[in-house]
């Protein structure tokens, strides 16, 4: 069974949405529009009650109010919207005059209040009514041209303009699909698709487009393409619970499977559509679904089931009083009874069909009814009457170019002539039947070949897709493998970085500990100054540097004098440190030594270096000193350091934990004993005296300075230096202290001191000779 294009178009429009509710927010009218597809009577009642119970407001700035807070008034915008819903509801109920009247009222409100944006909605609704109710395609297309012109005059950001463009394009495509050639219709559908692509999130519009395009492709026998569109629409509508659209999709899929001979699936979809229409009491749609179910059962030769559904449709159509559908149902029942060989019943229903089809004498239904009537009379052994009726049907079918009816008419006419004994004419009719049948078979074979080619292309594409899918799966597996390898490498790298970081941290900590140990190793534990270990490590290198400079000068590799890098040494003994622990205790003495170390570290800067030699002994080394500098300057500098510290210590407030009585009794002595010497000690033998021997000379000088200090109670200094002509042999490979004493006795070593008394060197001399040396400090000459 095949439904006509106008009926299918009407079915599509009745269940479609014109996208009016999106520009309004009145809950009452939105509910009325939602009921259009399932309960048009109730939708009409709601919209009419809205118009009757509310008064139209004409206040300023009220024409575009979209809220519904005041339920006693209605805005012009809501009024237009209510009239449009009424017009569509009347169209659902097949009351064209009332629909046109409601539409004219909508036009009046639009003109009175100059609602330019709403005018396009009214014009689009008028175009839909013109096409679906009147069937005037030219007038409908002309109205759509006006809609497009009005849309172009509106700004692109106007409210709901894109939805109106899409609905206009889709309606134009549906009209062209029913009136124009296939190519023109396809172009129109592509234009509608381009309008839809701007709003892909609107799934309802997408479903409506796919249903319309699928219906067109189904009429064009492009079953593969139609199946793609209809199935996509069905699943999208099912996922989003668009119940009315699901019913439309079920009807179209049932028709598609029916044409393809897949009767089981066709029956399933038709039953689902019929259940929906019966649930919402949609008589017109239910009648269509009942006829489709009957046609499916008839195709299965299950004629009793077919008759049940045909009689259901007959009851519905008798209540609706629609002549053409009623005639079609009577004809279907007559055909079914003919197949069951109930010829009297078939003849009765075919008479009713011809009576109902009397208003459309040249229609295909009338021709088919006359042909069936002739076949009935032939079966009732009335061949002459049957020949007349079949001949009439043949002529009408040829005029209508209904090839299928012409073919059946030739076959029936051949049987009628044969029944009358006119075998020659019957043979001619049979040959004509065979020729037309062969042409139909050729056409069917060509259609099957085209279908096979389409299926072949689909299979090839599917095979390609399967191969691509396998490649994709392989690539994904490889990607997963590479990801695992990358994760493993990243994990390994992370572990390695952690290990490197921990080892680096440990190395840094060990380096810090090493630096701390080195500082502790080369620093005096109480004063924090450089200790004897540091002196033993640094002093030989300083002397070697001076020796190297001298050798380079001697070999003419240096222009400057080598003695510009000579060193001055001052060993001094601080008196108050000797008995500090015994007199003042461990904690207080340690605090004084710490302060002394900090003070000396701050004061000794530049070219000077200070070492804590032993408990009370310190060594001060000064580099690059001037040749004419006197030893008393260095001695006074050292003495000033101690004197300044003592003064600074006595002046600062006592913040220690010792009691005030003990702090008040502490008085630090400023007595300092200084022993002085220079390097090189021997002017003509730079390398003859090493670092330990030089320290021996300093100890000798400091010892005598301490003896002088004990005798006088004041600070003293002693300076030892060799004369320019002192031979190196006198100081090599011998006890240097004894060598210095002998040098003093023999005049090879000069002695300068701060004391005015004589120095007794006897305690350090092993000779039996006892000599006294008188030192004149002011003349700086040894005696």
């Amino acid at each position: 069974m095949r439904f006509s294009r106008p009926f299918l178009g009407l079915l599509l429009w009745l269940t479609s949405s014109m996208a009016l509710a999106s520009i309004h927010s009145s809950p009452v009218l939105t509910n009325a529009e939602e009921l259009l597809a399932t309960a048009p009577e109730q939708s009409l009642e709601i919209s009419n009650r809205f118009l009757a119970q509310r008064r139209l407001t004409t206040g300023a700035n009220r024409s575009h109010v979209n809220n519904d807070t005041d339920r006693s008034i209605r805005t012009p915008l809501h009024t237009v919207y209510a009239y449009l819903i009424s017009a569509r509801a009347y169209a659902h109920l097949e009351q064209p005059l009332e629909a046109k009247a409601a539409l004219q009222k909508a036009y009046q409100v639009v003109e009175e209040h100059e609602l330019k944006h709403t005018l396009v909605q009214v014009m689009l609704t008028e175009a839909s009514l013109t096409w679906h109710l009147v069937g005037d395609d030219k007038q409908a297309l002309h109205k759509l041209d006006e809609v497009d012109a009005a849309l172009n005059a509106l700004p692109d950001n106007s409210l709901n303009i894109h939805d109106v463009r899409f609905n206009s394009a889709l309606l134009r495509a549906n009209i062209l699909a029913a009136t124009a050639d296939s190519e023109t219709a396809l172009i129109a559908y592509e234009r509608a698709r381009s309008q839809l692509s701007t709003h892909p999130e609107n799934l309802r519009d997408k479903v409506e487009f796919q249903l319309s395009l699928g219906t067109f492709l189904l009429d064009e026998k492009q079953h593969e393409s139609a199946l793609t569109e209809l199935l996509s629409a069905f699943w999208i509508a099912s996922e989003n619970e668009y119940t009315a659209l699901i019913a439309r999709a079920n009807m179209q899929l049932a028709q598609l499977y029916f044409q393809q001979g897949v009767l089981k699936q066709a029956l399933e979809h038709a039953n689902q559509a019929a259940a929906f229409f019966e649930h919402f009491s949609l008589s017109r749609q239910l009648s269509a679904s009942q006829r489709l179910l009957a046609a499916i059962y008839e195709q299965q030769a299950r004629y009793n089931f077919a008759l049940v559904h045909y009689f259901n449709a007959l009851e519905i159509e008798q209540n609706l009083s629609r002549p053409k559908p009623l005639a079609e149902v009577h004809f279907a029942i007559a055909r079914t009874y003919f197949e069951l060989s109930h010829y009297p019943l078939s003849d009765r229903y075919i008479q009713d069909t011809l009576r109902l089809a009397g208003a459309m004498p040249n229609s295909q239904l009338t021709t088919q009814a006359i042909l069936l009537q002739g076949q009935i009379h032939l079966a009732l052994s009335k061949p002459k009457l049957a020949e007349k009726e079949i001949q009439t049907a043949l002529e009408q079918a040829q005029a209508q170019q209904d090839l299928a009816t012409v073919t059946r008419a030739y076959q029936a006419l051949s049987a009628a002539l044969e029944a009358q004994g006119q075998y020659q004419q019957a043979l001619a009719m049979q040959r004509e039947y065979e020729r037309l049948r062969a042409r139909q078979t050729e056409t069917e074979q060509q259609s099957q070949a085209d279908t096979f080619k389409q299926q072949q292309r689909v299979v090839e594409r599917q095979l390609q897709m399967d191969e691509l899918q396998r490649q994709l799966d392989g690539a994904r597996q490889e990607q997963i493998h590479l990801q695992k390898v990358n994760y493993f490498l990243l994990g390994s790298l992370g572990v390695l970085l952690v290990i490197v970081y921990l080892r680096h941290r440990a190395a840094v900590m060990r380096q810090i500990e090493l630096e701390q140990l080195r500082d502790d190793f080369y620093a005096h534990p109480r004063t924090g100054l450089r200790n004897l270990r540091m002196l033993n490590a640094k002093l030989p290198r300083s002397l070697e540097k001076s020796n190297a400079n001298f050798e380079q000068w001697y070999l003419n590799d240096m222009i400057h004098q080598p003695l510009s890098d000579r060193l001055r040494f001052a060993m001094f003994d601080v008196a108050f440190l000797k008995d500090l622990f015994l007199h003042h205790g461990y904690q207080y003495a340690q605090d004084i030594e710490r302060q002394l170390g900090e003070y000396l570290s701050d004061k000794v800067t530049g070219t000077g270096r200070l070492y804590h030699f032993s408990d009370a002994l310190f060594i001060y080394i000064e580099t690059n000193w001037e040749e004419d500098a006197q030893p008393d300057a260095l001695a006074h500098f050292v003495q000033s350091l101690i004197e300044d510290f003592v003064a600074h210590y006595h002046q600062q407030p006592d913040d220690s934990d010792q009691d005030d009585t003990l702090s008040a009794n502490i008085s630090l002595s400023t007595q300092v004993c200084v022993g002085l010497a220079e390097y090189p000690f021997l002017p003509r033998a730079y390398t003859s005296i090493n670092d330990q021997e030089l320290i021996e000379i300093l100890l000798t000088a400091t010892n005598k300075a301490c003896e002088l200090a004990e005798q006088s109670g004041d600070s003293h200094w002693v300076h030892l230096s060799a004369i320019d002509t002192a031979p190196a042999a006198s100081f090599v490979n011998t006890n240097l202290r004894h060598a210095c004493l002998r040098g003093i006795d023999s005049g090879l070593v000069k002695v300068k001191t701060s004391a005015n008394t004589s120095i007794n060197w006897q305690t350090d001399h092993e000779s039996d000779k006892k000599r006294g040396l008188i030192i004149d400090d002011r003349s700086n000459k040894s005696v």
Side-chain angles (χ1 to χ4, degrees), residues 45 48 53 67 83 93 112 176 186 207 252 265 291 322 376 437 465 550 596 620 638 672 676 695 721 730:
E45 181 183 356
N48 288 338
Q53 295 179 354
N67 58 58
Y83 281 128
L93 299 174
E112 289 177 3
L176 294 177
L186 283 176
V207 173
Q252 299 306 311
Q265 287 184 318
R291 281 181 282 160
R322 297 189 302 175
I376 294 172
R437 183 60 182 169
M465 290 296 294
F550 169 74
L596 175 62
Y620 175 76
V638 172
V672 181
L676 304 173
I695 292 175
S721 62
S730 301

Side-chain angles (χ1 to χ4, degrees), residues 7 34 39 115 140 267 270 395 512 650 675 693:
F7 172 78
E34 292 176 352
L115 304 177
L267 191 62
E395 292 174 356
I512 294 173
H650 288 160
E693 295 171 340

Side-chain angles (χ1 to χ4, degrees), residues 17-33:
S17 172
M18 296 298 293
L20 298 176
S22 59
I23 64 172
H24 304 278
S25 62
S26 175
V28 176
L29 296 181
T30 302
N31 184 39
E33 186 181 22

